[in-house]
Every structure is written in C-alpha cells, then in structure tokens.
Amino acid sequence: MMEKVYFRPAGIFDGTVTGFCPGCMHSSVCKIVCEALDELGQLDNACYVQGVGCCGLAVTYLNMDTVAAPHGRACAIASSFKRCSPETLVFTYQGDGDLAAIGLAETMSAANRGENFTVIFVNNGIYGMTGGQMAPTTLLGAKTTTTPYGRNEAEHGSPMHMCELINQLDAPAYIARVTCADVPNARKAKAAVRKAFQYQLEGRGFSFVEFVSNCPTNWGMSPLESLDHVHNVILKEFPLGEFRAK
Amino acid sequence: MAEKIFMKGCEAVAETAVRAGCRFFAGYPITPQNDVPEYFARRMPQVNGVFIQGESEVASANMAYGAAAAGVRSMTSSSSCGISLKSEAISWMAGANLPVVIANFQRGGPGIGTIQPAQQDYNQATKASGNGGFRMLVLSPSTLQEAVDMTWRAFELADKYSKPVMLLMDGFTGTMMEPVVLPEPLGEEQVAAIRASKTWAARGRHGGPQHKVMCGPGLDTRISQAQMNERDAELYESWKQTEVEYEEYMTEDAEIVVTAYGITGRIAKSAVGMLRAEGVKAGLIRPLKVYPFPEQAFEKLDFARLRGIVCAEMSIPAQYAEDVRNVVRGRTGIVTALSSGGEVLDRAQILEAARSLMK
Ligand SMILES: Cc1ncc(C[n+]2csc(CCOP(=O)(O)OP(=O)(O)O)c2C)c(N)n1
Ligand code: SF4
Ligand SMILES: [Mg+2]
C-alpha cells in the first residue's frame, strides 16, 4: 500500500494551470498559502482580497472566496470586510507596487489600527504586471524600464523595507520576512504563514508576511539565475526573519 | 402620528441610514459634512455596526466597498473635492455591482473651493463620478424631510439594483435644522435577513461554490467587457422608464416654468408663488432625482403657450441648465439664475429672470 504524501492543495482547482510565468515564485506563494489553509482547516472559511498586479493572475485557479480591490486599496477593503465578517479568515495578496507605493497609506494605516487580518506581501522588487518598472523595493543600481541608468539614491531614494517600517508601529502582532527560493526556506515560509493565520484566528491583530520573490521575466534572468540573484544579492538588502511575534 | 424631531441635515441622514439597516460607515473629515462621520462614530457601537475613520476619502470609499462585498448595508459621505477622491471606489462599486450609498454635501469648486454650499458637482454626480461611463441613481432633496425619505430609499434602491446610489446634498441641507419625522428602524432580524439575502456576498465558501466579488472582466472570466457594458446600458435605459421622479407645481397653465433641484428647488418654488401673486402664470419643475433626468416633465410642456424657462442653480458655469437645454432643443427660450459657492441664490434673481421673459 502506498501512501500519497504530496498532492495539490484543495485551494487550487484541479486541472488549471497558473497564469504566472515559468519559474515565478508567485505560484509557490499561492501553493504555500493554500497548504497552510488546508492544514488549519480554514480553506472553506477564507476570503482573500486581491491587489492589482501579477497576484491577480491567481484568480482563475484559487478556489476560495475573493474580493478584488483597486490598485493599492486591499488593506482598506480587508479592514472593513473583516470588521463586518469577523468569523471569516481574511488575507490580502499584494505586490510591492500595490502595497508599498500606491497603497502605502492604506497599508500603514491598517497596520497601525491593528486590523485583525493577514497581509501576504510578494516583494519582487519590480512592477511585474506592467512590464518591469521601478518599485519602491527596487535595489540601488538596478536597471528597470523606468530607471534605464540604474536606480540611484539621489534621484529615486533607497529601497523601502516594509517589515522594518511596520515594525515601528505599536499595533501589529506578527511581522515576518520569508522566501521560497529554496526548500528549507519554503518550509519556514509556510510556518510563518500558518502562524500569521493562527494569530488572526486568535484575534491578536495585524499580521504581515513578506515574501522575497522574483520576477524572472522582467529581471531578464532564467528562473535559476533569478534564484541565485535572490540568494546572492536581494537577501542582503532584505534580511529574512521574524521581526515581531507578540 | 409619528413624532417630529428638530434635527440637523447631516444627522437626520445618518440616523435614517442607521434605521434603514446601514451597519457600516467610513468617512474622512471635510466641512460641511463632519456631523455625518461624528454621528456614526457615536451611533454605530449602539447597533453593533462598524464606523471607521479612514485615512483618506480614497480609503473610506474603498472601506465602504469592502463592507458591501461582505453583504452589509454600507455608506460613505464627503463633500466635493473629497468625492473626487472617492471616484475610484465608486467606479469599482458600479463595476463590481456593489450596493453602497454615497452622500455628497456639495461645497464650492473646482479644487478645494469654498466650504460653503454649492451645486457645482452636478455633472460629476450625473455623468462621471468615476471612469468607465457608469451611471448612478442620484437623489437630491430640498427639505430635510425629503433628505430622510430619500436616504431610506437610497438603501432600498442600492440593494434593488446592486449598484452605488448617490444622495446629492449641499452645505445647506447638511447643516440647517428642520423638524423631521424619522422612519421606524428596521429590526435586527430584518437587518440580518437583508444581509443573508445577498447570496453573492463573500463570506468563505462553507461547502458551497466560490463567491467572487470582482469588478467585471479582465481577470473575471465569467463576463466579457462588452457583456458587462451592454447589461449596464440596458439597466440605465430602463431607469428612464422606472426611476424618473420629479415634482410639478402649477405647470398646467404655465407661461413661465422655473426649474431647479435640491435646495435651489425650494427657493424656486417660493419664487413661483410670488410670481403667481403678481399675476404671472408661473410653474415649477423640480427633479427629485437628477439622474435619470426627468425628460418627460419637459416634453409634457405646452411650448406654444410657454414664454420661457428659468433654470436656477448654485453653479457657475451652469450645469443643470445644459441638460434642460438638451431636452428643450430650442422650443422655448431658456434663461439662467446662477450663484457660486457660498453665495446663496437670491429669490430676487429668479424673479428678475422670469420677468425678463415676460417682456
Ligand atoms: C490605479 C491604477 N494605476 C495603475 C495600474 C496599472 N498597474 C497594474 S499592475 C501594476 C503594478 C503591479 O506591480 P506590483 O504591485 O509590484 O505587482 P507584481 O505584478 O510585481 O506582482 C500597475 C501599476 C492600475 N491597474 N490601476
Ligand atoms: S511578470 Fe514577473 S511577477 Fe509577473 S508572473 Fe511573470 S515572473 Fe511573475
Ligand atoms: Mg512587484
């Protein structure tokens, strides 16, 4: 008798393919989130608020309730949704342009109010969906379509560190930065997501999990090169770890 | 007989909303409607409702969207430049078929404008409260009793069509006090039943199919852009038959018709009374909804007898008058009586404009 030890999480429709580019960690993030929901028995009770960006590509294959938000507004919508439906497990799924640029006020304000939902933040250091423009998280020196000579501090400022920024506020309960660029880290990432959801279920307040991610397409790298780049370069700027677990 | 209470406009609207089962409000401070969020801040905890002071009008309107997505009767309010910031969410509500009531207590404009009453947002309210060519039912009261009645109806209409509905108020109707009779509040069971009836609302699948609150096509494969636009166009067309609402006063034998909406409609009505006293056969057309525009009211007029129409509004340049002109199509003369933000339209201006038509 063989035991099935690896299967598609129930939150991902059978027979559908992801809309993400090959090698994009967005799909790993979705899988990890769905596995965490399965393990907590919360898939049926979950609703995610999707930001605008490549995260929206998940909509055709995630089999759970969803509310679409205008670009940047996911944290405002999740705030009111969760307060009106306190029993539902609510998380936002947002990119770095969405969460840290156009939605910065909504993100910081929801965090500061200690709203009891979870943010799944996919930081790929670029605007993926619109074709590779500079994001608030883009590294200094990085060439993007809107920083053709490289991001420079004098003109564009330095990369924004959202975990560290949110860690300045009193209210947030859980803040962690993870990655799924390798298997041991992917395991830690799932533990962080589970913990964040657990915090929410216990009513402890705002939980925030940042995934250091990639964008092979707009970084102009193969998927494997992009993983090396995460390990050798990006993680130096964005250190992993739990920043807060109240 | 229900009891009459002396109330301020903003508070009468907010209290009526609570009685109509509104259990979510988000807003951001802006004069002249601060009494609305302040009232909800006091009142919502008493009815297990939610009040959030948003970090901006952008956030507040999106919060109202989020509450509606959860099936809760939801409202936001602001004034003029704040409504511009809400336009993103309002457009999304129209696209995602979310019932939300939005109140605009108009002040001057463009830009920040004066904080005093105005009707400078007519075109914005009736034609483009956001991108994408959507329309909203727009109710505009001229008395506080009407504001109360219209607030109640706004929630019913929003739910009926699953669309955003606007209450187009102004600094006068927001801040003045008048006696009003408030409706009996819905019971908690009724409020819960209304929420439960919204089977499309997101809440977790709980063994059933997915609930997807999405703003139309793009990533939502259930509907194409054309299907969505055509379905909405049909709805807006049907409103021209089902949702037109206006008051006619002494128009049967009128030689002069004064037309105005909102608070100006009230000034216009008293001007009509004075003209009649002078022996001028004057009448009034006052839209109760400015969208859909009451074309029928003007089509019915006896243009052979009519000497002209006076359009009165607190907007420079005139906006409402343009819609009147488009319906009348040159069949009679049109003159305007206008004032700008903060300058109360004087009844004498209407009388003077009417007399100019009698010459
Ligand atoms: C109001 C508004 N402005 C701009 C856009 C265009 N837009 C779509 S996705 C996107 C950026 C997405 O970048 P990010 O949030 O980093 O997500 P990613 O695609 O990288 O995962 C932008 C600017 C939009 N849809 N709406
Ligand atoms: S564009 Fe970049 S972020 Fe978007 S799916 Fe492709 S690789 Fe992923
Ligand atoms: Mg990005």
Side-chain angles (χ1 to χ4, degrees):
Chain A
M1 211 21 216
M2 278 203 284
E3 192 195 352
K4 194 167 174 186
V5 292
Y6 184 80
F7 38 83
R8 206 179 252 250
I12 295 176
F13 280 116
D14 266 339
T16 53
V17 285
T18 106
F20 302 125
C21 304
C24 177
M25 278 194 263
H26 259 299
S27 36
S28 323
V29 176
C30 288
K31 192 183 85 172
I32 282 176
V33 168
C34 288
E35 285 177 353
L37 289 170
D38 274 353
E39 289 168 20
L40 294 168
Q42 285 291 322
L43 176 67
D44 239 22
N45 187 39
C47 176
Y48 77 101
V49 181
Q50 45 172 299
V52 170
C54 287
C55 55
L57 295 169
V59 71
T60 51
Y61 77 110
L62 287 188
N63 185 8
M64 69 184 94
D65 276 15
T66 182
V67 176
H71 194 22
R73 316 299 174 220
C75 281
I77 288 174
S79 295
S80 57
F81 186 94
K82 177 71 183 187
R83 291 214 207 178
C84 291
S85 290
E87 325 74 32
T88 307
L89 186 143
V90 178
F91 66 95
T92 70
Y93 182 31
Q94 303 177 257
D96 42 0
D98 193 83
L99 177 137
I102 191 168
L104 185 63
E106 285 77 5
T107 307
M108 296 303 285
S109 302
N112 193 49
R113 289 190 301 266
E115 299 286 351
N116 189 34
F117 65 83
T118 303
V119 172
I120 302 293
F121 169 40
V122 178
N123 173 7
N124 57 7
I126 206 156
Y127 284 59
M129 177 60 95
T130 41
Q133 297 82 7
M134 178 184 67
T137 44
T138 300
L139 297 200
L140 286 177
K143 286 189 180 166
T144 70
T145 54
T146 50
T147 54
Y149 307 107
R151 178 173 186 160
N152 77 80
E153 196 174 2
E155 191 182 347
H156 310 109
S158 300
M160 282 170 73
H161 300 82
M162 291 310 296
C163 284
E164 289 83 341
L165 271 174
I166 290 170
N167 202 20
Q168 298 304 306
L169 306 172
D170 289 339
Y174 185 73
I175 306 169
R177 183 181 288 127
V178 299
T179 187
C180 29
D182 55 74
V183 174
N185 269 307
R187 289 219 174 92
K188 285 191 203 162
K190 186 156 78 177
V193 171
R194 273 188 65 145
K195 199 161 171 181
F197 287 161
Q198 198 64 51
Y199 267 58
Q200 182 185 156
L201 292 170
E202 288 165 15
R204 293 208 239 173
F206 192 77
S207 48
F208 186 88
V209 181
E210 170 175 347
F211 281 82
V212 175
S213 193
N214 63 345
C215 178
T217 301
N218 289 299
W219 288 2
M221 294 178 188
S222 72
L224 286 177
E225 284 166 353
S226 79
L227 295 184
D228 287 343
H229 187 65
V230 167
H231 280 120
N232 301 334
V233 181
I234 311 275
L235 290 182
K236 302 216 159 58
E237 180 73 31
F238 292 103
L240 303 180
E242 252 179 16
F243 290 77
R244 188 184 297 181
K246 266 211 239 189
Chain B
M1 246 317 264
E3 189 194 358
K4 276 200 171 172
I5 319 175
F6 197 53
M7 272 187 109
K8 196 172 184 176
C10 283
E11 300 195 335
V13 166
E15 176 57 31
T16 305
V18 170
R19 290 174 180 232
C22 175
R23 290 295 178 270
F24 182 84
F25 179 92
Y28 184 85
I30 183 170
T31 307
Q33 60 82 62
N34 293 317
D35 293 300
V36 179
E38 289 169 10
Y39 191 89
F40 277 112
R42 291 196 296 276
R43 194 73 172 88
M44 279 307 197
Q46 301 168 354
V47 292
N48 288 323
V50 177
F51 164 80
I52 304 181
Q53 176 169 331
E55 54 273 23
S56 66
E57 285 88 351
V58 174
S60 309
N62 278 288
M63 288 171 182
Y65 171 106
V72 169
R73 280 195 166 172
S74 155
M75 180 173 184
T76 184
S77 77
S78 190
S79 178
S80 300
C81 50
I83 294 290
S84 297
L85 289 184
K86 291 188 195 289
S87 64
E88 167 190 77
I90 298 174
S91 175
W92 274 68
M93 292 163 195
N97 299 312
L98 287 177
V100 176
V101 175
I102 303 117
N104 180 2
F105 296 83
Q106 299 172 84
R107 57 191 248 171
I112 192 164
T114 64
I115 60 169
Q116 282 87 12
Q119 294 181 311
Q120 294 275 152
D121 304 338
Y122 176 86
N123 283 342
Q124 184 193 44
T126 58
K127 295 173 179 63
S129 293
N131 66 297
F134 69 93
R135 297 295 165 98
M136 280 187 290
L137 296 173
V138 183
L139 291 75
S140 193
S142 70
T143 67
L144 293 199
Q145 187 60 56
E146 244 175 32
V148 164
D149 299 344
M150 285 180 177
T151 302
W152 183 276
R153 293 247 324 290
F155 282 97
E156 292 181 338
L157 290 169
D159 277 355
K160 175 172 182 187
Y161 297 109
S162 222
K163 290 286 184 193
V165 170
M166 179 167 273
L167 272 176
L168 188 61
M169 313 266 298
D170 59 72
F172 281 121
T173 44
T175 55
M176 69 189 190
M177 292 184 82
E178 280 192 306
V180 291
V181 178
L182 295 171
E184 278 302 308
L186 294 182
E188 278 318 302
E189 326 70 55
Q190 287 166 294
V191 174
I194 289 169
R195 183 173 184 183
S197 72
K198 295 176 185 174
T199 50
W200 47 262
R203 49 169 69 85
R205 276 174 27 212
H206 297 290
Q210 265 181 303
H211 306 97
K212 285 175 155 185
V213 178
M214 310 274 304
C215 187
L219 296 170
D220 187 356
T221 48
R222 293 170 301 180
I223 190 167
S224 75
Q225 184 73 74
Q227 283 168 332
M228 170 184 176
N229 293 149
E230 283 161 12
R231 186 192 59 197
D232 283 347
E234 254 171 55
L235 177 67
Y236 306 151
E237 206 48 43
S238 76
W239 284 348
K240 292 184 182 167
Q241 303 309 318
T242 57
E243 290 296 342
V244 169
E245 247 188 307
Y246 55 90
E247 177 191 1
E248 282 169 308
Y249 175 64
M250 299 192 137
T251 48
E252 303 80 21
D253 63 343
E255 294 178 2
I256 302 282
V257 163
V258 182
T259 183
Y261 72 94
I263 190 70
T264 312
R266 191 160 168 178
I267 300 169
K269 194 168 185 176
S270 78
V272 165
M274 289 182 76
L275 288 165
R276 284 274 168 177
E278 283 175 21
V280 178
K281 287 186 176 158
L284 172 80
I285 294 176
R286 180 173 71 86
L288 303 183
K289 289 199 194 89
V290 283
Y291 193 88
F293 186 82
E295 291 182 19
Q296 293 91 323
F298 293 91
E299 286 301 339
K300 277 195 331 206
L301 293 173
D302 180 356
F303 286 100
R305 182 167 53 215
L306 213 59
R307 287 173 177 243
I309 296 177
V310 180
C311 295
E313 57 187 307
M314 292 191 295
S315 171
I316 299 175
Q319 301 179 54
Y320 171 67
E322 290 302 310
D323 277 352
V324 176
R325 197 161 281 144
N326 286 340
V327 178
V328 168
R329 295 193 312 278
R331 286 175 284 180
T332 192
I334 293 177
V335 294
T336 55
L338 311 176
S339 71
S340 163
E343 288 164 29
V344 185
L345 190 101
D346 193 336
R347 190 170 49 191
Q349 288 175 259
I350 299 177
L351 298 176
E352 198 180 313
R355 287 182 197 124
S356 78
L357 291 170
M358 294 302 289
K359 279 182 194 140

